[in-house]
Amino acid sequence: MSHAPQHLDAARYTWGGDEFLFVEISESMSLAANFKANAMATRLTARAIDGVVDICPANASLLLRFDPDAVPPDELEALVRQVEEEVAQLSEQTLETRIIEIPVWYDDPYTRETGARFRKGHQRPDGTDLDFAAEENGLSSPQEFIRKHHESPWLVSMVGFVAGLPFMFQIVPQEEQLEVPKYLSPRTDTPPLTVGHGGCFACIYSVRGAGGYQMFGIAAAPIFDPAQKLEDFSDFMIFFRPGDIVKFKPVGEDEYRAIQAEVDAGTFTYRQVPVTFDLQKALTDPTAHNRDILEKLNGL
Amino acid sequence: MAFDILEPGLATSVQDRGRFGYYNVGIPQGGAMDQLSASMANALVGNSPGDAVLECAYLGPRFTTDTDAVIAVAGAPVQVKVNGQTADQWTRLSLAAGDEVSFGMLSGGTRYYVAVQGGIDVPEVLGSRSTYTLGALGGFQGRTLKAGDTVPVGAPSGASPLDTIPEDLRPVYAKEVTVRILPGLYDHRLTAEGMETLVSTAWKLTPVADRTGLRYSGPDLEWRPRTQPFGAGSDPSNIVDAGYAIGSIQVPGGKEPIVLHRDAVSGGGYAMVATVISADMDVVARSAPGTLTHFEPVTMEQALAARADAAKVRRAVWGTAG
């Protein structure tokens, strides 16, 4: 009843040219690796190191962009190693975050149509991505896959690829995680707000464009709002932050259209509530931890 | 003051030095692909190096100016025309209200830059005027130009312009180039032969080359066989999705290396094996499809020395202010 592996060796440090330092925390994905990446990013941000331009936490790694004229590479590496040490000493590993409900129209006509257009060369040319995902996970039907997809929460483990796209990691024991291969060859088109899945990661495509993840549904409300029209975007045009917890909520066509009308009217807001994510509890008793955080959302 | 766009060209966009500090949420740095050429165009009209210019790819725009204006065209060699008459690159051109600017064929490279005294005056978004088309952000309404657009031009600063860029400082547009790279990131996942192939091949730039990345053709690179870690995906070229260094080279499936450029996606699941050094990003940007490219491995010390040399060129153009 645990995620494996949880023991983290020291990170691997390497350079991306003369402007990027890359820190690989773990080769494999785990909650612990993600937690460490985000904890290091938070501390490095707080230090406000001169010459550090971007701090990008990812699933199990960390990327820093720096100006080597302002901070010499070896000096930066020493500072980051110091922060890695500090994070390793943390006895309490909790994250003050929020849980957000994301309405999704599963098995919708938009991703179905796009999936049909890119069937040639797909692992399962005669079905849908949902059929394929259900089979790959040994489930009896697409409906069962959809149920497993929305019944447990996901942690936003990385934001990026394109503007505001969240990568999400299912907070359940590894043997229960949904895993699906990516498209054999990436699509050139993906409807905006497609809920996708590749490897162990779920994502929501923030904008229309290329994509290689299998497509299961479409989210009803925007997650990237460059015009910042909706209240949830009043601070910033991008909704998700690493460490956010997502609970997908299945909606049918009527509810999907109703939400879209609220978005158009500028009145839509996401249901969300602050929660504390406790790494040790999530690892040792994920069922209880998920129940606790979901109760917070349901108690709204 | 404005330019009226009669024909937009292939992919004309507003660009400046770029947008920094938002890569952690997937917004790339953007900015002029060939930073030195864009900055030289600005120097010729008395702008500051960070003023916004028009970046023209291959086929340039046709536009008129609604008032007198001073412009300069720098970058890839192209035929410049004012009211149908051939005009010079690398110098200042004075336009009268109603004058029409257009462009002929390129004779090398891919991108050239039109600077106007006062700069292209679109609003700054997240600290930059650069266009991020995928996110429909910045630049002119978040997109490349269309016929009928009226592109605003700012007020001149009054700084004195350079008369010309000395020939020996101008970029060259060769059919065969050497691009220096710093091996690293996931280079250990290639076999020794795979790395040797990367640095000994004359790679040919394919037509699959845009602001996001440039793809090269050549022999396959061999990855070390391995049991893939959880979450990484099944191919040995896959990793647990991670941040992408701009300039880094990924080789999906061991075929056709891709160099990520200014509008790079900020992360993904392909292993990167080296990164183009900062001093040579403009060299990559100037490469036209078909350009033979040698990736030359260097050390961090050599990369930093090359960076200092590139800064000297900028200082020679701009004086200490650059």
Side-chain angles (χ1 to χ4, degrees):
Chain A
M1 202 52 187
S2 72
H3 293 266
Q6 294 305 333
H7 170 74
L8 296 173
D9 293 325
R12 183 174 68 87
Y13 286 68
T14 177
W15 302 106
D18 49 322
E19 293 188 345
F20 289 90
L21 172 60
F22 185 79
V23 184
E24 186 184 50
I25 288 159
S26 171
E27 282 203 318
S28 57
M29 183 57 193
S30 67
L31 273 180
N34 186 248
F35 205 92
K36 187 171 166 185
N38 282 309
M40 286 177 69
T42 303
R43 280 168 180 254
L44 285 164
T45 304
R47 284 205 180 192
I49 301 164
D50 270 352
V52 171
V53 180
D54 282 293
I55 298 170
C56 310
N59 293 310
S61 59
L62 184 66
L63 179 72
L64 282 89
R65 183 179 195 150
F66 64 101
D67 174 358
D69 302 326
V71 54
D74 50 354
E75 201 174 291
L76 177 66
E77 181 182 339
L79 280 167
V80 178
R81 284 185 182 277
Q82 211 176 70
V83 167
E84 188 193 353
E85 279 288 304
E86 283 173 22
V87 166
Q89 304 302 320
L90 291 177
S91 53
E92 199 182 329
Q93 297 191 305
T94 59
L95 179 68
E96 296 307 322
T97 181
R98 56 182 179 164
I99 183 164
I100 309 145
E101 183 176 272
I102 302 290
V104 176
W105 184 7
Y106 285 99
D107 201 10
D108 66 293
Y110 308 107
T111 57
R112 260 183 181 258
E113 185 273 328
T114 307
R117 265 194 285 141
F118 291 94
R119 224 64 216 148
K120 199 177 157 221
H122 192 276
Q123 293 97 332
R124 194 183 192 286
D126 56 344
T128 65
D129 292 4
L130 270 168
D131 295 332
F132 175 61
E135 282 169 12
E136 281 286 308
N137 287 273
L139 302 172
S140 60
S141 66
Q143 289 67 37
E144 196 185 347
F145 182 89
I146 290 170
R147 183 177 60 75
K148 283 194 167 292
H149 193 265
H150 68 70
E151 73 182 0
S152 60
W154 300 73
L155 180 76
V156 174
S157 49
M158 171 175 173
V159 176
F161 181 62
V162 290
L165 179 150
F167 289 81
M168 290 165 280
F169 186 65
Q170 203 169 16
I171 318 174
V172 293
Q174 189 173 307
E175 60 275 15
E176 291 174 30
Q177 285 188 326
L178 300 169
E179 267 200 278
V180 190
K182 296 166 194 171
Y183 270 44
L184 294 171
S185 169
R187 293 177 305 276
T188 52
D189 191 23
T190 309
L193 297 173
T194 290
V195 175
H197 200 103
C200 66
F201 298 106
C203 83
I204 303 171
Y205 287 89
S206 51
V207 296
R208 185 173 182 173
Y213 279 21
Q214 307 286 336
M215 299 179 291
F216 302 150
I218 197 141
I223 59 169
F224 172 55
D225 178 10
Q228 297 179 271
K229 284 183 190 144
L230 296 170
E231 190 189 316
D232 287 324
F233 298 85
S234 55
D235 290 341
F236 193 43
M237 58 181 73
I238 283 165
F239 183 65
F240 284 112
R241 299 186 288 261
D244 280 344
I245 296 171
V246 166
K247 169 69 173 65
F248 292 115
K249 181 199 174 197
V251 298
E253 178 168 7
D254 289 350
E255 201 172 342
Y256 173 85
R257 304 269 176 234
I259 292 167
Q260 293 229 304
E262 282 184 55
V263 170
D264 290 343
T267 56
F268 177 83
T269 53
Y270 281 107
R271 285 185 73 211
Q272 54 175 296
V273 63
V275 286
T276 303
F277 179 76
D278 183 323
L279 179 65
Q280 287 317 314
K281 201 170 166 193
L283 292 174
T284 51
D285 193 353
T287 311
H289 188 258
N290 286 347
R291 192 185 54 231
D292 290 353
I293 57 177
L294 290 176
E295 269 171 11
K296 290 246 167 55
L297 182 68
N298 295 331
L300 257 184
Chain B
M1 184 178 178
F3 290 158
D4 292 312
I5 307 298
L6 307 176
E7 288 170 16
L10 186 66
T12 308
S13 65
V14 178
Q15 300 293 344
D16 60 13
R17 280 182 158 174
R19 181 176 284 115
F20 297 89
Y22 301 97
Y23 206 46
N24 65 325
V25 290
I27 298 178
Q29 72 172 84
M33 285 285 282
D34 177 355
Q35 284 284 315
L36 183 64
S37 294
S39 134
M40 286 174 164
N42 272 326
L44 290 165
V45 295
N47 286 349
S48 69
D51 277 325
V53 298
L54 293 181
E55 178 178 276
C56 312
Y58 302 101
L59 189 62
R62 188 164 67 87
F63 64 88
T64 56
T65 175
D66 68 349
T67 57
D68 294 357
V70 174
I71 66 165
V73 181
V78 65
Q79 195 184 11
V80 183
K81 289 179 204 164
V82 177
N83 299 326
Q85 301 295 307
T86 301
D88 288 333
Q89 262 181 295
W90 304 108
T91 189
R92 199 158 53 250
L93 302 173
S94 292
L95 304 180
D99 279 356
E100 181 181 302
V101 177
S102 61
F103 299 92
M105 296 296 286
L106 277 179
S107 54
T110 60
R111 285 174 175 80
Y112 47 94
Y113 296 88
V114 183
V116 56
Q117 203 164 67
I120 303 293
D121 194 25
V122 294
E124 278 196 4
V125 178
L126 303 178
S128 165
R129 295 185 168 87
S130 289
T131 315
Y132 171 41
T133 51
L134 214 49
L137 190 86
F140 188 87
Q141 299 178 8
R143 57 168 172 79
T144 55
L145 297 186
K146 286 183 192 167
D149 287 343
T150 300
V151 178
V153 172
S157 69
S160 39
L162 280 185
D163 287 329
T164 187
I165 304 293
E167 289 230 28
D168 62 332
L169 293 182
R170 293 180 196 171
V172 291
Y173 298 84
K175 300 228 180 303
E176 188 157 2
V177 297
T178 296
V179 169
R180 288 164 291 185
I181 60 172
L182 188 64
L185 299 169
Y186 289 89
D187 57 328
H188 58 290
R189 304 269 294 257
L190 286 175
T191 62
E193 294 76 19
M195 181 46 85
E196 182 54 32
T197 304
L198 179 72
V199 300
S200 64
T201 300
W203 296 95
K204 192 172 182 180
L205 180 58
T206 70
V208 185
D210 59 19
R211 294 183 46 85
T212 306
L214 302 91
R215 188 183 292 234
Y216 293 82
S217 65
D220 292 355
L221 296 190
E222 192 184 24
W223 294 93
R224 286 178 199 274
R226 72 198 313 259
T227 305
Q228 285 288 92
F230 175 74
S234 50
D235 193 89
S237 66
N238 291 167
I239 55 170
V240 167
D241 294 55
Y244 282 159
I246 292 174
S248 64
I249 303 176
Q250 52 180 244
V251 199
K255 296 174 200 305
E256 303 207 321
I258 298 167
V259 174
L260 296 174
H261 221 283
R262 313 265 183 216
D263 278 355
V265 291
S266 71
Y270 293 112
M272 306 142 276
V273 295
T275 307
V276 173
I277 66 171
S278 60
D280 284 356
M281 287 294 283
D282 285 355
V283 177
V284 172
R286 288 173 200 137
S287 298
T291 301
L292 289 180
T293 303
H294 304 269
F295 293 122
E296 181 192 328
V298 296
T299 62
M300 177 64 89
E301 289 66 34
Q302 290 169 314
L304 294 175
R307 183 183 180 88
D309 288 343
K312 271 185 213 153
V313 174
R314 285 198 302 276
R315 272 201 301 277
V317 175
W318 287 95
T320 48

